Amino acid sequence: EVQLVESGGGLVQPGGSLRLSCAASGFTVSTNYMSWVRQAPGKGLEWVSVIYSGGSTYYADSVKGRFTISRDNSKNTLYLQMNSLRVEDTAVYYCARARYYYESSYWGQGTLVTVSS
Amino acid sequence: DIQMTQSPSTLSASVGDRVTITCRASQSISSWLAWYQQKPGKAPNLLIYKASSLESGVPSRFSGSGSGTEFTLTISSLQPDDSATYYCQQYNSYPRTFGQGTKVEIK
């Protein structure tokens, strides 16, 4: 059974850093197209970043240069390193995996990041 | 960036009604479109991929159609469990973009 479990969220001050983790089971992270999607409180979904099985990465303009997506094959875990956090980065962050093409077929439960002083 | 515009933003319908949600892309995305359902406090759930393919386990009352710039999600007979917010997403190019969402309420 495919499972994704995010962790690492919490309260951080503006300008701070946080690393989110997404522990996967039931499949291999390194051979799949993996994404991060976020949702600010009461708002819609916003795509954040993706990593391909080959290692290519893409980012939303709003996080480019501040966030880094990566994975640890030995831990079968996806990460999102978030630096220079802003109040507008406050959101629930979801990791997701594609099943067919590049849609998000499987989702974690999300982890809340709050950026506030 | 490709803009995705959903309409309506909110709709209210009765159980058994046929419901249609439209998603328009600012440029052609071929058939690279997905539809998601999200209930409060939960992660989104994939309903439709590649514009018209039904995800495994999703009730057959959900269907998707369209290509290019105009797409629709149809619920053939609305059920109480379908009360949720629905999002379209294009995955033709980067950055991937979502529609703003359509909230479906049951009368």
Side-chain angles (χ1 to χ4, degrees), chain A residues 46-49 58-65, chain B residues 95:
Chain A
E46 180 186 14
W47 176 81
V48 173
S49 182
Y58 292 87
Y59 298 91
D61 287 346
S62 58
V63 307
K64 201 173 296 182

Side-chain angles (χ1 to χ4, degrees), chain B residues 10-47:
Chain B
T10 307
L11 73 86
S12 182
S14 301
V15 172
D17 283 353
R18 183 181 184 87
V19 167
T20 299
I21 299 168
T22 298
C23 178
R24 289 187 173 88
S26 59
Q27 63 190 75
S28 177
I29 58 170
S30 185
S31 295
W32 300 115
L33 184 100
W35 288 98
Y36 303 91
Q37 177 193 65
Q38 187 181 33
K39 296 183 178 180
K42 300 293 188 181
N45 182 47
L46 178 68
L47 299 174

Side-chain angles (χ1 to χ4, degrees), chain B residues 75-98:
Chain B
I75 308 173
S76 61
S77 178
L78 191 67
Q79 298 302 303
D81 189 52
D82 301 336
S83 178
T85 301
Y86 295 82
Y87 295 93
C88 62
Q89 183 204 18
Q90 66 82 16
Y91 48 100
N92 178 77
S93 63
Y94 289 102
R96 306 306 199 207
T97 43
F98 288 90

Side-chain angles (χ1 to χ4, degrees), chain A:
Chain A
E1 180 191 5
V2 171
Q3 276 199 318
L4 296 165
V5 179
E6 299 96 337
S7 60
L11 176 63
V12 61
Q13 291 188 337
S17 298
L18 216 52
R19 188 179 80 159
L20 305 184
S21 300
C22 172
S25 58
F27 72 99
T28 302
V29 165
S30 64
T31 62
N32 281 272
Y33 174 96
M34 302 293 299
S35 302
W36 287 98
V37 174
R38 69 184 180 183
Q39 187 169 36
K43 303 297 184 182
L45 301 171
E46 180 186 14
W47 176 81
V48 173
S49 182
V50 66
I51 185 166
Y52 282 78
S53 56
S56 298
T57 59
Y58 292 87
Y59 298 91
D61 287 346
S62 58
V63 307
K64 201 173 296 182
R66 302 188 297 123
F67 290 13
T68 303
I69 191 171
S70 65
R71 63 194 179 205
D72 184 329
N73 298 345
S74 67
K75 295 182 178 179
N76 206 33
T77 297
L78 178 73
Y79 299 102
L80 187 67
Q81 177 67 44
M82 305 186 296
N83 298 330
S84 303
L85 282 161
R86 304 168 180 168
V87 170
E88 55 265 34
D89 295 320
T90 294
V92 173
Y93 285 73
Y94 297 100
C95 65
R97 177 210 147 183
R99 178 177 178 180
Y100 307 104
Y101 300 96
Y102 304 115
E103 70 295 316
S104 295
S105 303
Y106 304 98
W107 296 70
Q109 84 288 352
T111 187
L112 176 62
V113 172
T114 303
V115 185
S116 174
S117 55

